Amino acid sequence: MSEEITLSLKDAEALSLNVLQHNGYSQAHAEAITRNVLAAQRDECHSHGLYRLIGCVNTARNGGVDTHATPEIIDQAASVVKVNAHQGCSLLAFEQGKQSLVEKANRTGIAALAINNSFHFSALWPEVEALSSEGLIGIAMTPSHAFVAPAGGTKPLLGTNPIAFSWPRPGGTPYTFDFATSVVARGEIELHKRAGKTIPSDWAIDDKGSPTSDPAAALAGAMLTFGGYKGSALSTMIELLAGPLIGDVLGHETQAANEQKTGKPFHGELIIAISPEVFLGKDAEHHLQHAEVLFDNILGQGARLPSQRRFKARENSLQNGVTLPKALFDELVELTH
């Protein structure tokens, strides 16, 4: 079993900021990225936690992100705000466009935030939960590089293409899910490779189109969609809504940053905010309380709500700090030198 190390949230935050700023990220970008990866680490979403800082550094070193870009906010329409990230990280673009999105949703009932020309690597649930904390329903989606074969295909075309949803619950944690339309997030396969572990044979195919349990072969081949044709169709929807609809590219038209500096990792993200207060008026509280019947019945069968494990992990981390492999910690410390 690999050796682990525990950090206080404050020390983990300081480490993240140090890594990012030492490698060229502006204070504003470093703080936005840190808020996201620290939230993931706190909730034990390891594939999107501090581990992601390595990718942020490599992307910056390979010219795949403008580490000092200033997002440009565009008031597109009564219910639409667009943010041109100018090849900067999507997280600062979201934070700077969020207030306009919230105001528009509270005014019109439903509003959309389109982020264009951005480097995106992060979990989506912190964004939709930022909306549900404002009493709004949040939906977010983004395409990624071509890592996934469409159902029935043998070569990468679609991205892992995650979608997230968060429903505000009276007096409690929101109902939130965030999942890739691939069988697993690509980061899970990367973590298996780092740990020298095999993967289930239904996660991916190798470069010849055959099922594989070797994470290296999976990364060189193609990942698979969850649910076969259903996941493939949902992934395609995400490509369209967070690509052409908002005037941005399809996932396969992007490439990860590389040492030759020829990568083009910039693409779009779509976030939708819905106001129960506007949809329902004076009856909003009644109907939100009615929704609790569904959650109670799910739990009443002994089933688990999405994110329950994450919220429990959060409580533990807030008290005891976050745990990560010592090898990862040492690698991050090395990035500060």
Side-chain angles (χ1 to χ4, degrees):
M1 202 171 162
S2 61
E3 188 181 353
E4 294 189 326
I5 187 168
T6 299
L7 301 175
S8 69
L9 287 170
K10 186 175 180 181
D11 286 344
E13 178 186 30
L15 175 61
S16 176
L17 289 171
N18 197 0
V19 167
L20 293 165
Q21 290 186 282
H22 184 79
N23 287 278
Y25 283 88
S26 69
Q27 182 176 343
H29 277 291
E31 289 176 350
I33 293 169
T34 293
R35 278 188 281 273
N36 185 280
V37 299
L38 192 61
Q41 194 71 41
R42 176 201 64 199
D43 287 11
E44 293 185 4
C45 298
H46 297 290
S47 65
H48 286 80
L50 294 174
Y51 160 69
R52 289 284 170 153
L53 295 175
I54 298 169
C56 289
V57 170
N58 288 335
T59 301
R61 290 177 175 177
N62 291 328
V65 60
D66 184 340
T67 56
H68 284 73
T70 300
E72 176 188 359
I73 300 174
I74 302 158
D75 189 1
Q76 182 75 8
S79 293
V80 181
V81 57
K82 298 185 85 171
V83 182
N84 187 337
H86 289 297
Q87 300 189 349
C89 184
S90 63
L91 294 170
L92 184 60
F94 170 76
E95 288 190 358
Q96 295 197 354
K98 185 191 112 179
Q99 192 53 44
S100 179
L101 173 65
V102 170
E103 290 170 0
K104 288 176 182 287
N106 283 330
R107 186 164 59 247
T108 65
I110 183 168
L113 167 61
I115 299 174
N116 293 111
N117 199 19
S118 70
F119 164 62
H120 186 282
F121 72 89
S122 53
L124 293 175
W125 61 258
E127 297 177 0
V128 292
E129 284 193 358
L131 296 177
S132 60
S133 71
E134 302 260 6
L136 300 171
I137 296 160
I139 304 170
M141 64 194 77
T142 185
S144 72
H145 312 314
F147 294 135
V148 182
T154 59
K155 298 186 185 306
L157 176 67
L158 302 170
T160 54
N161 295 3
I163 184 167
F165 172 86
S166 191
W167 174 279
R169 298 180 64 191
T173 53
Y175 173 86
T176 304
F177 66 74
D178 176 4
F179 54 76
T181 48
S182 51
V183 176
V184 293
R186 190 168 178 84
E188 289 293 337
I189 298 179
E190 292 170 346
L191 287 176
H192 276 70
K193 181 183 175 185
R194 289 173 65 89
K197 297 178 180 177
T198 59
I199 60 171
S201 59
D202 61 349
W203 282 12
I205 52 180
D206 62 22
D207 59 1
K208 294 181 177 57
S210 300
T212 182
S213 59
D214 178 356
L219 293 171
M223 300 169 67
L224 299 175
T225 58
F226 80 86
Y229 288 94
K230 294 179 181 180
S232 188
L234 184 58
S235 181
T236 303
M237 180 197 79
I238 292 166
E239 292 264 355
L240 296 171
L241 293 180
L245 177 66
I246 64 172
D248 222 305
V249 297
L250 297 165
H252 74 273
E253 296 169 330
T254 71
Q255 301 87 36
N258 55 47
E259 291 181 1
Q260 294 74 36
K261 296 184 168 51
T262 58
K264 298 177 181 176
F266 313 111
H267 55 86
E269 179 183 354
L270 177 66
I271 303 105
I272 299 168
I274 304 170
S275 168
E277 299 290 338
V278 176
F279 267 69
L280 296 164
K282 60 182 177 58
D283 296 325
E285 185 177 347
H286 167 74
H287 289 290
L288 285 172
Q289 200 60 54
H290 181 212
E292 292 298 303
V293 173
L294 179 60
F295 303 132
D296 290 343
N297 278 309
I298 291 171
L299 294 170
Q301 293 190 21
R304 182 167 64 88
L305 297 178
S307 294
Q308 257 185 270
R309 179 205 60 78
R310 190 164 57 75
F311 293 136
K312 186 175 181 181
R314 181 181 302 182
E315 289 179 14
N316 179 63
S317 296
L318 289 172
Q319 289 186 356
N320 303 311
V322 296
T323 300
L324 62 156
K326 187 174 185 304
L328 172 59
F329 172 76
D330 292 341
E331 193 170 345
L332 293 174
V333 170
E334 189 66 28
L335 293 176
T336 66
H337 298 151

